Amino acid sequence: MNWIAKIFMALLGLAFLVALLFGVACYTVYATLRWLLTGRKPQVVLVWQQFSAMRQNFKQGGFRAGPSQGFEGPRGRHSAHDDQVVDVEVREVVEDAPRLPPRKPH
């Protein structure tokens, strides 16, 4: 391979790297603005927090200790010895609630 082709390939690789870094920077700005406006954390932050919690739990022996340690669910800390099971949650259905109009056939 001659030196012109090597320079061309190096510039092509550099351009790809710059485009990749620019894309990551744009996503970071977008995710941060969305986080500030909506209050929803970016998925990357949520995954990283779960990974950190799992790593900390593993260091404390949480995986070897068995299910009696309990687990952190969507509604808080639960133990494996809970006797209460909630199958259905009740909510009121209002008859006069606004409904969508019927769909028109195409």
PDB file of all heavy atoms in Angstrom, residues 55-86:
ATOM      1  N   ARG A  55     -23.914  -4.497  41.707  1.00  0.00           N
ATOM      2  CA  ARG A  55     -22.520  -4.716  42.088  1.00  0.00           C
ATOM      3  C   ARG A  55     -22.340  -4.576  43.598  1.00  0.00           C
ATOM      4  O   ARG A  55     -21.653  -5.376  44.234  1.00  0.00           O
ATOM      5  CB  ARG A  55     -21.627  -3.728  41.345  1.00  0.00           C
ATOM      6  CG  ARG A  55     -20.145  -3.975  41.557  1.00  0.00           C
ATOM      7  CD  ARG A  55     -19.298  -3.063  40.728  1.00  0.00           C
ATOM      8  NE  ARG A  55     -19.667  -1.690  40.997  1.00  0.00           N
ATOM      9  CZ  ARG A  55     -19.486  -0.689  40.156  1.00  0.00           C
ATOM     10  NH1 ARG A  55     -18.954  -0.904  38.984  1.00  0.00           N
ATOM     11  NH2 ARG A  55     -19.853   0.536  40.470  1.00  0.00           N
ATOM     12  N   GLN A  56     -23.010  -3.574  44.182  1.00  0.00           N
ATOM     13  CA  GLN A  56     -22.920  -3.384  45.628  1.00  0.00           C
ATOM     14  C   GLN A  56     -23.583  -4.544  46.361  1.00  0.00           C
ATOM     15  O   GLN A  56     -23.066  -5.023  47.365  1.00  0.00           O
ATOM     16  CB  GLN A  56     -23.580  -2.068  46.013  1.00  0.00           C
ATOM     17  CG  GLN A  56     -23.438  -1.726  47.473  1.00  0.00           C
ATOM     18  CD  GLN A  56     -24.084  -0.402  47.800  1.00  0.00           C
ATOM     19  OE1 GLN A  56     -24.849   0.131  47.007  1.00  0.00           O
ATOM     20  NE2 GLN A  56     -23.768   0.140  48.955  1.00  0.00           N
ATOM     21  N   ASN A  57     -24.711  -5.024  45.850  1.00  0.00           N
ATOM     22  CA  ASN A  57     -25.404  -6.162  46.454  1.00  0.00           C
ATOM     23  C   ASN A  57     -24.544  -7.416  46.364  1.00  0.00           C
ATOM     24  O   ASN A  57     -24.503  -8.214  47.291  1.00  0.00           O
ATOM     25  CB  ASN A  57     -26.752  -6.375  45.764  1.00  0.00           C
ATOM     26  CG  ASN A  57     -27.626  -7.348  46.514  1.00  0.00           C
ATOM     27  OD1 ASN A  57     -27.430  -7.594  47.689  1.00  0.00           O
ATOM     28  ND2 ASN A  57     -28.593  -7.898  45.805  1.00  0.00           N
ATOM     29  N   PHE A  58     -23.840  -7.582  45.261  1.00  0.00           N
ATOM     30  CA  PHE A  58     -22.974  -8.743  45.097  1.00  0.00           C
ATOM     31  C   PHE A  58     -21.795  -8.686  46.069  1.00  0.00           C
ATOM     32  O   PHE A  58     -21.398  -9.708  46.631  1.00  0.00           O
ATOM     33  CB  PHE A  58     -22.471  -8.819  43.662  1.00  0.00           C
ATOM     34  CG  PHE A  58     -21.631 -10.033  43.384  1.00  0.00           C
ATOM     35  CD1 PHE A  58     -22.214 -11.278  43.280  1.00  0.00           C
ATOM     36  CD2 PHE A  58     -20.259  -9.925  43.236  1.00  0.00           C
ATOM     37  CE1 PHE A  58     -21.449 -12.401  43.026  1.00  0.00           C
ATOM     38  CE2 PHE A  58     -19.481 -11.036  42.990  1.00  0.00           C
ATOM     39  CZ  PHE A  58     -20.078 -12.277  42.879  1.00  0.00           C
ATOM     40  N   LYS A  59     -21.250  -7.487  46.287  1.00  0.00           N
ATOM     41  CA  LYS A  59     -20.136  -7.349  47.227  1.00  0.00           C
ATOM     42  C   LYS A  59     -20.560  -7.682  48.650  1.00  0.00           C
ATOM     43  O   LYS A  59     -19.771  -8.175  49.442  1.00  0.00           O
ATOM     44  CB  LYS A  59     -19.587  -5.920  47.185  1.00  0.00           C
ATOM     45  CG  LYS A  59     -18.740  -5.619  45.990  1.00  0.00           C
ATOM     46  CD  LYS A  59     -18.224  -4.199  46.049  1.00  0.00           C
ATOM     47  CE  LYS A  59     -17.423  -3.851  44.830  1.00  0.00           C
ATOM     48  NZ  LYS A  59     -16.979  -2.442  44.844  1.00  0.00           N
ATOM     49  N   GLN A  60     -21.817  -7.419  48.977  1.00  0.00           N
ATOM     50  CA  GLN A  60     -22.318  -7.689  50.319  1.00  0.00           C
ATOM     51  C   GLN A  60     -22.793  -9.127  50.469  1.00  0.00           C
ATOM     52  O   GLN A  60     -23.264  -9.505  51.524  1.00  0.00           O
ATOM     53  CB  GLN A  60     -23.465  -6.739  50.652  1.00  0.00           C
ATOM     54  CG  GLN A  60     -23.033  -5.301  50.745  1.00  0.00           C
ATOM     55  CD  GLN A  60     -24.209  -4.355  50.910  1.00  0.00           C
ATOM     56  OE1 GLN A  60     -25.356  -4.771  50.865  1.00  0.00           O
ATOM     57  NE2 GLN A  60     -23.910  -3.080  51.084  1.00  0.00           N
ATOM     58  N   GLY A  61     -22.701  -9.931  49.436  1.00  0.00           N
ATOM     59  CA  GLY A  61     -23.107 -11.320  49.508  1.00  0.00           C
ATOM     60  C   GLY A  61     -24.585 -11.523  49.260  1.00  0.00           C
ATOM     61  O   GLY A  61     -25.159 -12.508  49.704  1.00  0.00           O
ATOM     62  N   GLY A  62     -25.221 -10.597  48.558  1.00  0.00           N
ATOM     63  CA  GLY A  62     -26.658 -10.672  48.334  1.00  0.00           C
ATOM     64  C   GLY A  62     -27.079 -11.830  47.457  1.00  0.00           C
ATOM     65  O   GLY A  62     -28.142 -12.402  47.639  1.00  0.00           O
ATOM     66  N   PHE A  63     -26.267 -12.241  46.506  1.00  0.00           N
ATOM     67  CA  PHE A  63     -26.651 -13.326  45.612  1.00  0.00           C
ATOM     68  C   PHE A  63     -26.449 -14.691  46.271  1.00  0.00           C
ATOM     69  O   PHE A  63     -27.163 -15.625  45.986  1.00  0.00           O
ATOM     70  CB  PHE A  63     -25.857 -13.269  44.315  1.00  0.00           C
ATOM     71  CG  PHE A  63     -26.216 -12.085  43.467  1.00  0.00           C
ATOM     72  CD1 PHE A  63     -25.268 -11.142  43.157  1.00  0.00           C
ATOM     73  CD2 PHE A  63     -27.503 -11.910  43.008  1.00  0.00           C
ATOM     74  CE1 PHE A  63     -25.594 -10.046  42.385  1.00  0.00           C
ATOM     75  CE2 PHE A  63     -27.841 -10.826  42.238  1.00  0.00           C
ATOM     76  CZ  PHE A  63     -26.883  -9.885  41.930  1.00  0.00           C
ATOM     77  N   ARG A  64     -25.494 -14.802  47.179  1.00  0.00           N
ATOM     78  CA  ARG A  64     -25.243 -16.084  47.840  1.00  0.00           C
ATOM     79  C   ARG A  64     -26.130 -16.293  49.059  1.00  0.00           C
ATOM     80  O   ARG A  64     -26.296 -17.395  49.529  1.00  0.00           O
ATOM     81  CB  ARG A  64     -23.780 -16.172  48.246  1.00  0.00           C
ATOM     82  CG  ARG A  64     -22.848 -16.306  47.072  1.00  0.00           C
ATOM     83  CD  ARG A  64     -21.444 -16.485  47.569  1.00  0.00           C
ATOM     84  NE  ARG A  64     -20.952 -15.289  48.229  1.00  0.00           N
ATOM     85  CZ  ARG A  64     -20.214 -14.364  47.639  1.00  0.00           C
ATOM     86  NH1 ARG A  64     -19.893 -14.492  46.379  1.00  0.00           N
ATOM     87  NH2 ARG A  64     -19.792 -13.312  48.295  1.00  0.00           N
ATOM     88  N   ALA A  65     -26.701 -15.208  49.595  1.00  0.00           N
ATOM     89  CA  ALA A  65     -27.440 -15.317  50.843  1.00  0.00           C
ATOM     90  C   ALA A  65     -28.817 -15.931  50.656  1.00  0.00           C
ATOM     91  O   ALA A  65     -29.420 -16.368  51.608  1.00  0.00           O
ATOM     92  CB  ALA A  65     -27.578 -13.938  51.484  1.00  0.00           C
ATOM     93  N   GLY A  66     -29.337 -15.976  49.468  1.00  0.00           N
ATOM     94  CA  GLY A  66     -30.636 -16.593  49.228  1.00  0.00           C
ATOM     95  C   GLY A  66     -31.758 -15.574  49.240  1.00  0.00           C
ATOM     96  O   GLY A  66     -31.552 -14.383  49.462  1.00  0.00           O
ATOM     97  N   PRO A  67     -32.991 -16.051  49.033  1.00  0.00           N
ATOM     98  CA  PRO A  67     -34.114 -15.138  48.903  1.00  0.00           C
ATOM     99  C   PRO A  67     -34.576 -14.515  50.209  1.00  0.00           C
ATOM    100  O   PRO A  67     -35.393 -13.637  50.209  1.00  0.00           O
ATOM    101  CB  PRO A  67     -35.215 -16.026  48.305  1.00  0.00           C
ATOM    102  CG  PRO A  67     -34.870 -17.402  48.721  1.00  0.00           C
ATOM    103  CD  PRO A  67     -33.370 -17.440  48.798  1.00  0.00           C
ATOM    104  N   SER A  68     -34.089 -14.964  51.360  1.00  0.00           N
ATOM    105  CA  SER A  68     -34.542 -14.415  52.631  1.00  0.00           C
ATOM    106  C   SER A  68     -34.061 -12.983  52.835  1.00  0.00           C
ATOM    107  O   SER A  68     -34.572 -12.276  53.684  1.00  0.00           O
ATOM    108  CB  SER A  68     -34.071 -15.289  53.786  1.00  0.00           C
ATOM    109  OG  SER A  68     -32.668 -15.295  53.845  1.00  0.00           O
ATOM    110  N   GLN A  69     -33.073 -12.538  52.063  1.00  0.00           N
ATOM    111  CA  GLN A  69     -32.591 -11.172  52.168  1.00  0.00           C
ATOM    112  C   GLN A  69     -33.616 -10.174  51.658  1.00  0.00           C
ATOM    113  O   GLN A  69     -33.595  -9.026  52.025  1.00  0.00           O
ATOM    114  CB  GLN A  69     -31.292 -11.009  51.356  1.00  0.00           C
ATOM    115  CG  GLN A  69     -30.104 -11.723  51.925  1.00  0.00           C
ATOM    116  CD  GLN A  69     -29.553 -10.994  53.121  1.00  0.00           C
ATOM    117  OE1 GLN A  69     -29.699  -9.797  53.238  1.00  0.00           O
ATOM    118  NE2 GLN A  69     -28.928 -11.720  54.020  1.00  0.00           N
ATOM    119  N   GLY A  70     -34.511 -10.609  50.768  1.00  0.00           N
ATOM    120  CA  GLY A  70     -35.493  -9.711  50.174  1.00  0.00           C
ATOM    121  C   GLY A  70     -34.947  -9.102  48.895  1.00  0.00           C
ATOM    122  O   GLY A  70     -33.800  -9.313  48.521  1.00  0.00           O
ATOM    123  N   PHE A  71     -35.804  -8.343  48.235  1.00  0.00           N
ATOM    124  CA  PHE A  71     -35.382  -7.700  47.003  1.00  0.00           C
ATOM    125  C   PHE A  71     -36.061  -6.352  46.899  1.00  0.00           C
ATOM    126  O   PHE A  71     -37.056  -6.073  47.556  1.00  0.00           O
ATOM    127  CB  PHE A  71     -35.702  -8.569  45.779  1.00  0.00           C
ATOM    128  CG  PHE A  71     -37.180  -8.771  45.556  1.00  0.00           C
ATOM    129  CD1 PHE A  71     -37.876  -7.956  44.696  1.00  0.00           C
ATOM    130  CD2 PHE A  71     -37.855  -9.779  46.210  1.00  0.00           C
ATOM    131  CE1 PHE A  71     -39.224  -8.130  44.495  1.00  0.00           C
ATOM    132  CE2 PHE A  71     -39.203  -9.970  46.017  1.00  0.00           C
ATOM    133  CZ  PHE A  71     -39.897  -9.132  45.153  1.00  0.00           C
ATOM    134  N   GLU A  72     -35.511  -5.509  46.074  1.00  0.00           N
ATOM    135  CA  GLU A  72     -36.028  -4.170  45.872  1.00  0.00           C
ATOM    136  C   GLU A  72     -36.926  -4.188  44.647  1.00  0.00           C
ATOM    137  O   GLU A  72     -36.473  -4.368  43.526  1.00  0.00           O
ATOM    138  CB  GLU A  72     -34.867  -3.189  45.668  1.00  0.00           C
ATOM    139  CG  GLU A  72     -35.270  -1.748  45.696  1.00  0.00           C
ATOM    140  CD  GLU A  72     -35.588  -1.263  47.103  1.00  0.00           C
ATOM    141  OE1 GLU A  72     -35.079  -1.823  48.064  1.00  0.00           O
ATOM    142  OE2 GLU A  72     -36.374  -0.321  47.204  1.00  0.00           O
ATOM    143  N   GLY A  73     -38.209  -4.053  44.848  1.00  0.00           N
ATOM    144  CA  GLY A  73     -39.172  -4.083  43.764  1.00  0.00           C
ATOM    145  C   GLY A  73     -39.584  -2.682  43.373  1.00  0.00           C
ATOM    146  O   GLY A  73     -39.069  -1.684  43.888  1.00  0.00           O
ATOM    147  N   PRO A  74     -40.561  -2.536  42.456  1.00  0.00           N
ATOM    148  CA  PRO A  74     -40.980  -1.213  42.005  1.00  0.00           C
ATOM    149  C   PRO A  74     -41.698  -0.419  43.102  1.00  0.00           C
ATOM    150  O   PRO A  74     -41.789   0.781  43.026  1.00  0.00           O
ATOM    151  CB  PRO A  74     -41.907  -1.498  40.840  1.00  0.00           C
ATOM    152  CG  PRO A  74     -42.332  -2.908  40.995  1.00  0.00           C
ATOM    153  CD  PRO A  74     -41.230  -3.606  41.737  1.00  0.00           C
ATOM    154  N   ARG A  75     -42.206  -1.087  44.126  1.00  0.00           N
ATOM    155  CA  ARG A  75     -42.921  -0.381  45.195  1.00  0.00           C
ATOM    156  C   ARG A  75     -42.137  -0.369  46.500  1.00  0.00           C
ATOM    157  O   ARG A  75     -42.701  -0.170  47.551  1.00  0.00           O
ATOM    158  CB  ARG A  75     -44.274  -1.035  45.414  1.00  0.00           C
ATOM    159  CG  ARG A  75     -45.169  -0.881  44.230  1.00  0.00           C
ATOM    160  CD  ARG A  75     -46.578  -1.204  44.586  1.00  0.00           C
ATOM    161  NE  ARG A  75     -47.402  -0.988  43.422  1.00  0.00           N
ATOM    162  CZ  ARG A  75     -48.201  -1.889  42.909  1.00  0.00           C
ATOM    163  NH1 ARG A  75     -48.295  -3.068  43.455  1.00  0.00           N
ATOM    164  NH2 ARG A  75     -48.914  -1.617  41.853  1.00  0.00           N
ATOM    165  N   GLY A  76     -40.869  -0.654  46.471  1.00  0.00           N
ATOM    166  CA  GLY A  76     -40.066  -0.612  47.681  1.00  0.00           C
ATOM    167  C   GLY A  76     -39.531  -1.981  48.056  1.00  0.00           C
ATOM    168  O   GLY A  76     -39.580  -2.924  47.283  1.00  0.00           O
ATOM    169  N   ARG A  77     -39.016  -2.082  49.277  1.00  0.00           N
ATOM    170  CA  ARG A  77     -38.369  -3.310  49.720  1.00  0.00           C
ATOM    171  C   ARG A  77     -39.410  -4.349  50.099  1.00  0.00           C
ATOM    172  O   ARG A  77     -40.330  -4.087  50.844  1.00  0.00           O
ATOM    173  CB  ARG A  77     -37.472  -3.002  50.911  1.00  0.00           C
ATOM    174  CG  ARG A  77     -36.652  -4.179  51.327  1.00  0.00           C
ATOM    175  CD  ARG A  77     -35.350  -3.710  51.961  1.00  0.00           C
ATOM    176  NE  ARG A  77     -34.539  -4.822  52.360  1.00  0.00           N
ATOM    177  CZ  ARG A  77     -33.710  -5.454  51.579  1.00  0.00           C
ATOM    178  NH1 ARG A  77     -33.596  -5.079  50.341  1.00  0.00           N
ATOM    179  NH2 ARG A  77     -32.983  -6.451  52.016  1.00  0.00           N
ATOM    180  N   HIS A  78     -39.258  -5.559  49.588  1.00  0.00           N
ATOM    181  CA  HIS A  78     -40.156  -6.670  49.870  1.00  0.00           C
ATOM    182  C   HIS A  78     -39.339  -7.838  50.399  1.00  0.00           C
ATOM    183  O   HIS A  78     -38.202  -8.048  50.014  1.00  0.00           O
ATOM    184  CB  HIS A  78     -40.894  -7.128  48.600  1.00  0.00           C
ATOM    185  CG  HIS A  78     -41.782  -6.077  48.030  1.00  0.00           C
ATOM    186  ND1 HIS A  78     -42.990  -5.753  48.590  1.00  0.00           N
ATOM    187  CD2 HIS A  78     -41.637  -5.263  46.968  1.00  0.00           C
ATOM    188  CE1 HIS A  78     -43.547  -4.792  47.881  1.00  0.00           C
ATOM    189  NE2 HIS A  78     -42.746  -4.476  46.894  1.00  0.00           N
ATOM    190  N   SER A  79     -39.926  -8.606  51.251  1.00  0.00           N
ATOM    191  CA  SER A  79     -39.279  -9.791  51.781  1.00  0.00           C
ATOM    192  C   SER A  79     -39.875 -11.022  51.107  1.00  0.00           C
ATOM    193  O   SER A  79     -41.002 -11.005  50.634  1.00  0.00           O
ATOM    194  CB  SER A  79     -39.490  -9.867  53.295  1.00  0.00           C
ATOM    195  OG  SER A  79     -38.979 -11.083  53.787  1.00  0.00           O
ATOM    196  N   ALA A  80     -39.119 -12.097  51.083  1.00  0.00           N
ATOM    197  CA  ALA A  80     -39.609 -13.331  50.475  1.00  0.00           C
ATOM    198  C   ALA A  80     -40.669 -13.982  51.345  1.00  0.00           C
ATOM    199  O   ALA A  80     -41.363 -14.884  50.903  1.00  0.00           O
ATOM    200  CB  ALA A  80     -38.458 -14.299  50.249  1.00  0.00           C
ATOM    201  N   HIS A  81     -40.819 -13.520  52.613  1.00  0.00           N
ATOM    202  CA  HIS A  81     -41.775 -14.128  53.528  1.00  0.00           C
ATOM    203  C   HIS A  81     -43.074 -13.339  53.632  1.00  0.00           C
ATOM    204  O   HIS A  81     -43.821 -13.522  54.590  1.00  0.00           O
ATOM    205  CB  HIS A  81     -41.146 -14.264  54.917  1.00  0.00           C
ATOM    206  CG  HIS A  81     -39.927 -15.140  54.901  1.00  0.00           C
ATOM    207  ND1 HIS A  81     -39.974 -16.485  54.642  1.00  0.00           N
ATOM    208  CD2 HIS A  81     -38.617 -14.840  55.084  1.00  0.00           C
ATOM    209  CE1 HIS A  81     -38.755 -16.984  54.680  1.00  0.00           C
ATOM    210  NE2 HIS A  81     -37.912 -16.014  54.936  1.00  0.00           N
ATOM    211  N   ASP A  82     -43.350 -12.438  52.690  1.00  0.00           N
ATOM    212  CA  ASP A  82     -44.615 -11.704  52.714  1.00  0.00           C
ATOM    213  C   ASP A  82     -45.757 -12.664  52.452  1.00  0.00           C
ATOM    214  O   ASP A  82     -45.744 -13.438  51.503  1.00  0.00           O
ATOM    215  CB  ASP A  82     -44.628 -10.607  51.653  1.00  0.00           C
ATOM    216  CG  ASP A  82     -43.819  -9.403  52.074  1.00  0.00           C
ATOM    217  OD1 ASP A  82     -43.533  -9.286  53.277  1.00  0.00           O
ATOM    218  OD2 ASP A  82     -43.481  -8.588  51.201  1.00  0.00           O
ATOM    219  N   ASP A  83     -46.786 -12.609  53.309  1.00  0.00           N
ATOM    220  CA  ASP A  83     -47.945 -13.484  53.148  1.00  0.00           C
ATOM    221  C   ASP A  83     -49.030 -12.833  52.316  1.00  0.00           C
ATOM    222  O   ASP A  83     -49.954 -13.503  51.865  1.00  0.00           O
ATOM    223  CB  ASP A  83     -48.517 -13.851  54.528  1.00  0.00           C
ATOM    224  CG  ASP A  83     -47.550 -14.700  55.328  1.00  0.00           C
ATOM    225  OD1 ASP A  83     -46.762 -15.440  54.699  1.00  0.00           O
ATOM    226  OD2 ASP A  83     -47.597 -14.620  56.564  1.00  0.00           O
ATOM    227  N   GLN A  84     -48.961 -11.545  52.117  1.00  0.00           N
ATOM    228  CA  GLN A  84     -50.011 -10.825  51.417  1.00  0.00           C
ATOM    229  C   GLN A  84     -49.672 -10.723  49.939  1.00  0.00           C
ATOM    230  O   GLN A  84     -48.587 -10.287  49.565  1.00  0.00           O
ATOM    231  CB  GLN A  84     -50.165  -9.432  52.008  1.00  0.00           C
ATOM    232  CG  GLN A  84     -51.322  -8.665  51.435  1.00  0.00           C
ATOM    233  CD  GLN A  84     -51.446  -7.298  52.083  1.00  0.00           C
ATOM    234  OE1 GLN A  84     -50.535  -6.875  52.783  1.00  0.00           O
ATOM    235  NE2 GLN A  84     -52.531  -6.618  51.857  1.00  0.00           N
ATOM    236  N   VAL A  85     -50.623 -11.149  49.111  1.00  0.00           N
ATOM    237  CA  VAL A  85     -50.456 -11.073  47.669  1.00  0.00           C
ATOM    238  C   VAL A  85     -51.563 -10.194  47.114  1.00  0.00           C
ATOM    239  O   VAL A  85     -52.741 -10.442  47.361  1.00  0.00           O
ATOM    240  CB  VAL A  85     -50.526 -12.469  47.002  1.00  0.00           C
ATOM    241  CG1 VAL A  85     -50.449 -12.342  45.498  1.00  0.00           C
ATOM    242  CG2 VAL A  85     -49.436 -13.358  47.533  1.00  0.00           C
ATOM    243  N   VAL A  86     -51.209  -9.155  46.389  1.00  0.00           N
ATOM    244  CA  VAL A  86     -52.198  -8.272  45.774  1.00  0.00           C
ATOM    245  C   VAL A  86     -52.323  -8.692  44.326  1.00  0.00           C
ATOM    246  O   VAL A  86     -51.392  -8.532  43.536  1.00  0.00           O
ATOM    247  CB  VAL A  86     -51.771  -6.794  45.884  1.00  0.00           C
ATOM    248  CG1 VAL A  86     -52.780  -5.897  45.201  1.00  0.00           C
ATOM    249  CG2 VAL A  86     -51.609  -6.415  47.337  1.00  0.00           C
TER     250      VAL A  86
END
